[in-house]
Amino acid sequence: MRARNREVNIFNMSLLDILCGALGAFCFLMLVLLPYWKPSGQTAEDFRKQYESAANELASIREKLKSMPGGADIEAKLNRLQNLLQRQQGEINDLQRRANEYKRQAQESDSQVSDLKMREPLLVSVRWSTSQHNVDVYVRARGKTATGKEMPMVDATKSQATFFQGDEFLDCPSGPCNDNWQSRDVPINLEYEIHYKFLSDGGNPQPAEIVDAYLMNRGIFIKLPRIKLPRQQTSALVGVFKATAPDSIQFVPEPEYKAQFDELNKKTPKPEEEKKGK
């Protein structure tokens, strides 16, 4: 009777397959979890040394595998796993880059929306009826820039352009016509002077007659005083405007224009209110 072979062989191919599979799974988990692993107190130099040590250890393992039976097949499997992990890591990095780009675009959109919500343009429009006259409107903010500069005082001898970035002034050189001034940003409680200026008469000696003027801000419409400027190179301050809250504004006319301003902006009662009054 033939004797049985009682030799025990621990390192067989099945065990090596299991070990290689476990090593590949471990490497994959390490590559996925490594971006979230942030050990405290370590520097870039420490990480470089750890990487070199791991690379040397991996190279040593590869050399040992070559000397084992079937080591070439195992090394080929490891190379395939490593290539697969590198491709997957590349896809993960690409997805992360896209996610960061989407996040940046979303933050820019939120910033633009917030910026638009903060902007409440002020529009001042002035119309004069006398021909050949050049009349301007000048809106002077009583504030300062970041460098401490202030808007120039009103000058009736020349046309004055906008001062702050984003503001616009549409000038009509000869009447009958109208001028429009728009301030892009109107902070709460910042005061604005509203001036009418009669620059030149163009040979017409009559007073410049302003027949319509109004301002709009925060969806509120206010009629401004309508006056006559007696001669060229003169100006008139008609009042001071400011936003008192996110949804309310205030215009304080000069004393000589208060009665007219109150009459122009007198609220007409609605039919329902008239019935209640009766």
Side-chain angles (χ1 to χ4, degrees):
M1 183 176 178
R2 185 177 178 181
R4 295 181 180 178
N5 184 6
R6 295 183 180 276
E7 181 181 357
V8 178
N9 188 357
I10 298 176
F11 297 99
N12 53 26
M13 293 301 295
S14 298
L15 178 60
L16 289 174
D17 286 340
I18 294 173
L19 291 176
C20 291
L23 178 62
F26 176 75
C27 291
F28 177 74
L29 289 175
M30 287 299 295
L31 287 174
V32 172
L33 297 177
L34 187 60
Y36 304 97
W37 179 54
K38 298 180 180 179
S40 60
Q42 291 185 329
T43 63
E45 182 65 21
D46 295 330
F47 286 120
R48 187 184 65 80
K49 291 179 179 180
Q50 291 178 3
Y51 173 78
E52 291 178 353
S53 176
N56 293 334
E57 186 175 354
L58 181 59
S60 177
I61 292 174
R62 288 180 179 274
E63 290 296 327
K64 291 180 181 179
L65 284 175
K66 290 180 180 179
S67 61
M68 296 176 59
D73 294 336
I74 296 174
E75 185 177 11
K77 290 181 180 179
L78 286 176
N79 290 333
R80 287 196 297 271
L81 285 173
Q82 187 175 9
N83 292 334
L84 176 61
L85 290 175
Q86 288 176 350
R87 289 197 300 270
Q88 291 176 342
Q89 185 63 41
E91 293 176 358
I92 292 172
N93 292 337
D94 186 57
L95 290 173
Q96 184 66 39
R97 181 187 61 78
R98 293 182 182 180
N100 292 336
E101 180 64 20
Y102 293 149
K103 183 178 180 181
R104 183 188 64 81
Q105 293 177 357
Q107 290 175 346
E108 288 182 354
S109 298
D110 292 341
S111 176
Q112 291 174 358
V113 171
S114 299
D115 191 38
L116 289 174
K117 288 181 178 179
M118 291 175 61
R119 292 180 181 175
E120 293 287 352
L122 167 65
L123 174 64
V124 179
S125 181
V126 174
R127 179 172 180 80
W128 66 99
S129 62
T130 45
S131 62
Q132 302 179 15
H133 288 175
N134 185 5
V135 175
D136 275 6
V137 59
Y138 184 59
V139 180
R140 180 180 181 272
R142 293 177 175 175
K144 296 182 179 180
T145 64
T147 57
K149 296 181 179 180
E150 296 183 356
M151 286 189 70
M153 300 298 292
V154 62
D155 186 350
T157 64
K158 62 181 181 180
S159 180
Q160 292 175 276
T162 57
F163 183 77
F164 293 100
Q165 184 177 4
D167 293 357
E168 293 185 2
F169 174 45
L170 300 179
D171 181 28
C172 185
S174 179
C177 199
N178 63 285
D179 282 357
N180 296 294
W181 185 291
Q182 179 173 306
S183 295
R184 184 185 65 179
D185 306 314
V186 180
I188 294 177
N189 292 326
L190 177 62
E191 296 182 338
Y192 292 81
E193 302 170 358
I194 311 296
H195 297 268
Y196 302 158
K197 301 195 304 180
F198 185 10
L199 297 181
S200 64
D201 59 16
N204 182 356
Q206 296 180 355
E209 184 175 2
I210 297 174
V211 295
D212 191 18
Y214 64 87
L215 70 79
M216 289 185 63
N217 180 250
R218 287 167 166 78
I220 303 174
F221 178 89
I222 291 180
K223 296 179 181 179
L224 298 178
R226 303 164 184 179
I227 67 174
K228 291 183 178 181
L229 296 172
R231 60 186 180 277
Q232 62 181 354
Q233 297 189 352
T234 57
S235 65
L237 172 64
V238 294
V240 177
F241 160 84
K242 71 176 179 179
T244 56
D247 56 353
S248 63
I249 61 176
Q250 179 187 75
F251 182 81
V252 180
E254 290 297 287
E256 60 267 36
Y257 308 125
K258 186 178 186 306
Q260 182 194 159
F261 175 78
D262 293 341
E263 181 65 24
L264 287 171
N265 294 278
K266 182 171 60 176
K267 293 183 178 180
T268 303
K270 297 180 180 180
E272 295 81 0
E273 296 176 350
E274 292 179 349
K275 292 179 180 179
K276 290 181 181 179
K278 294 180 180 179

